[in-house]
Amino acid sequence: MSTDALYREAILDHYKHPRYKGHLETPDFQYHDHNPFCGDEITIELKVKDGIVVDAAFDGHGCAISQATASMLMEEIIGMPVEEIKKMDKEYILELLGIELGPVRLKCALLPLKVLKAGAYGLEEWPE
Ligand code: FES
């Protein structure tokens, strides 16, 4: 199987069997956004201790790319400092997915990142 096919299979697997989908009992932050072009939605919740993400969950509905990216991101960020999340960019997501994306699909893939980064920055405003 080619590397491309392996990545596609991983994306499909995350879409069909999403990791960390649902809600946290007591999140420190919850943020929700949607893709205005299609209406697909993502909500991300984070639990943070000493600047490190200790738990995360997402909920939402939409295309395979947006939902699979959210699922993959949850796996990546648990144990990660919030400061690192702030540095995540388009390249990070493309590397995570491992496939080329056209402009429309790129918007799908970046939706969870947009929500996650809003959460990371929003945490600074969160009371101790
Ligand atoms: Fe809506 Fe992908 S088609 S986020």
Side-chain angles (χ1 to χ4, degrees):
M1 197 183 281
S2 71
T3 314
D4 209 52
L6 278 174
Y7 277 115
R8 282 173 198 281
E9 199 166 285
I11 291 168
L12 211 57
D13 184 55
H14 272 270
Y15 177 58
K16 286 186 183 162
H17 311 285
R19 284 44 148 199
Y20 302 98
K21 186 156 185 190
H23 294 273
L24 300 180
E25 260 181 40
T26 51
D28 292 313
F29 195 88
Q30 184 196 59
Y31 190 72
H32 169 93
D33 206 353
H34 70 287
N35 181 340
F37 299 102
C38 61
D40 290 1
E41 301 181 8
I42 300 271
T43 300
I44 291 179
E45 295 176 351
L46 302 175
K47 187 90 194 150
V48 175
K49 194 163 189 282
D50 300 328
I52 310 274
V53 177
V54 291
D55 207 359
F58 84 98
D59 199 12
H61 64 84
C63 67
I65 296 283
S66 71
Q67 303 301 304
T69 308
S71 171
M72 288 171 153
L73 265 179
M74 297 303 99
E75 279 190 335
E76 291 286 310
I77 62 169
I78 294 176
M80 185 181 275
V82 172
E83 287 307 310
E84 263 187 53
I85 292 178
K86 289 182 188 168
K87 292 183 206 148
M88 283 180 170
D89 57 8
K90 184 176 92 178
E91 303 312 319
Y92 186 97
I93 298 296
L94 288 175
E95 211 167 290
L96 190 64
L97 292 173
I99 55 167
E100 297 281 324
L101 294 174
V104 175
R105 290 286 135 189
L106 187 60
K107 279 203 171 61
C108 303
L110 293 180
L111 176 63
L113 181 64
K114 190 174 147 200
V115 174
L116 179 61
K117 285 184 86 162
Y121 280 98
L123 276 164
E124 284 177 352
E125 291 153 25
W126 205 257
E128 290 295 310

PDB file of all heavy atoms in Angstrom, residues 35 38 40 63 66 105 108 111, ligand 1:
ATOM      1  N   ASN A  35     -17.847  26.019   9.871  1.00  0.00           N
ATOM      2  CA  ASN A  35     -17.377  26.440   8.549  1.00  0.00           C
ATOM      3  C   ASN A  35     -18.567  27.100   7.844  1.00  0.00           C
ATOM      4  O   ASN A  35     -19.555  26.440   7.554  1.00  0.00           O
ATOM      5  CB  ASN A  35     -16.897  25.195   7.785  1.00  0.00           C
ATOM      6  CG  ASN A  35     -16.372  25.531   6.406  1.00  0.00           C
ATOM      7  OD1 ASN A  35     -16.677  26.575   5.845  1.00  0.00           O
ATOM      8  ND2 ASN A  35     -15.584  24.626   5.854  1.00  0.00           N
ATOM      9  N   CYS A  38     -20.212  25.410   4.603  1.00  0.00           N
ATOM     10  CA  CYS A  38     -20.953  24.150   4.582  1.00  0.00           C
ATOM     11  C   CYS A  38     -21.781  23.929   5.842  1.00  0.00           C
ATOM     12  O   CYS A  38     -22.637  23.065   5.872  1.00  0.00           O
ATOM     13  CB  CYS A  38     -19.979  22.983   4.428  1.00  0.00           C
ATOM     14  SG  CYS A  38     -18.837  22.939   5.805  1.00  0.00           S
ATOM     15  N   ASP A  40     -20.616  22.831   8.671  1.00  0.00           N
ATOM     16  CA  ASP A  40     -20.033  21.817   9.554  1.00  0.00           C
ATOM     17  C   ASP A  40     -19.545  22.466  10.848  1.00  0.00           C
ATOM     18  O   ASP A  40     -19.048  23.593  10.830  1.00  0.00           O
ATOM     19  CB  ASP A  40     -18.849  21.115   8.864  1.00  0.00           C
ATOM     20  CG  ASP A  40     -19.323  20.224   7.733  1.00  0.00           C
ATOM     21  OD1 ASP A  40     -20.536  20.164   7.489  1.00  0.00           O
ATOM     22  OD2 ASP A  40     -18.468  19.597   7.102  1.00  0.00           O
ATOM     23  N   CYS A  63     -17.840  16.790   7.442  1.00  0.00           N
ATOM     24  CA  CYS A  63     -17.171  15.919   6.472  1.00  0.00           C
ATOM     25  C   CYS A  63     -16.066  15.089   7.141  1.00  0.00           C
ATOM     26  O   CYS A  63     -15.643  15.378   8.259  1.00  0.00           O
ATOM     27  CB  CYS A  63     -16.583  16.757   5.352  1.00  0.00           C
ATOM     28  SG  CYS A  63     -15.247  17.812   5.909  1.00  0.00           S
ATOM     29  N   SER A  66     -12.852  17.209   8.246  1.00  0.00           N
ATOM     30  CA  SER A  66     -12.953  18.052   9.453  1.00  0.00           C
ATOM     31  C   SER A  66     -13.050  17.189  10.716  1.00  0.00           C
ATOM     32  O   SER A  66     -12.401  17.473  11.722  1.00  0.00           O
ATOM     33  CB  SER A  66     -14.140  19.023   9.366  1.00  0.00           C
ATOM     34  OG  SER A  66     -15.379  18.345   9.473  1.00  0.00           O
ATOM     35  N   ARG A 105     -10.866  21.564   0.717  1.00  0.00           N
ATOM     36  CA  ARG A 105     -10.570  20.556   1.752  1.00  0.00           C
ATOM     37  C   ARG A 105      -9.648  21.120   2.829  1.00  0.00           C
ATOM     38  O   ARG A 105      -9.705  20.704   3.981  1.00  0.00           O
ATOM     39  CB  ARG A 105      -9.929  19.316   1.117  1.00  0.00           C
ATOM     40  CG  ARG A 105     -10.889  18.539   0.281  1.00  0.00           C
ATOM     41  CD  ARG A 105     -11.860  17.799   1.166  1.00  0.00           C
ATOM     42  NE  ARG A 105     -13.210  17.947   0.675  1.00  0.00           N
ATOM     43  CZ  ARG A 105     -14.304  17.563   1.313  1.00  0.00           C
ATOM     44  NH1 ARG A 105     -14.213  17.017   2.495  1.00  0.00           N
ATOM     45  NH2 ARG A 105     -15.485  17.739   0.809  1.00  0.00           N
ATOM     46  N   CYS A 108     -11.639  22.639   5.452  1.00  0.00           N
ATOM     47  CA  CYS A 108     -12.206  21.585   6.315  1.00  0.00           C
ATOM     48  C   CYS A 108     -11.182  21.177   7.371  1.00  0.00           C
ATOM     49  O   CYS A 108     -11.504  21.045   8.547  1.00  0.00           O
ATOM     50  CB  CYS A 108     -12.546  20.337   5.505  1.00  0.00           C
ATOM     51  SG  CYS A 108     -13.667  20.606   4.137  1.00  0.00           S
ATOM     52  N   LEU A 111     -10.520  23.842  10.171  1.00  0.00           N
ATOM     53  CA  LEU A 111     -11.590  24.207  11.113  1.00  0.00           C
ATOM     54  C   LEU A 111     -11.276  23.767  12.548  1.00  0.00           C
ATOM     55  O   LEU A 111     -11.348  24.595  13.468  1.00  0.00           O
ATOM     56  CB  LEU A 111     -12.935  23.647  10.617  1.00  0.00           C
ATOM     57  CG  LEU A 111     -14.135  23.854  11.548  1.00  0.00           C
ATOM     58  CD1 LEU A 111     -14.453  25.332  11.738  1.00  0.00           C
ATOM     59  CD2 LEU A 111     -15.371  23.119  11.008  1.00  0.00           C
TER      60      LEU A 111
HETATM   61 FE1  FES B   1     -17.643  21.224   5.768  1.00  0.00          FE
HETATM   62 FE2  FES B   1     -15.560  19.912   5.254  1.00  0.00          FE
HETATM   63  S1  FES B   1     -17.277  20.075   3.962  1.00  0.00           S
HETATM   64  S2  FES B   1     -15.844  21.229   6.909  1.00  0.00           S
END
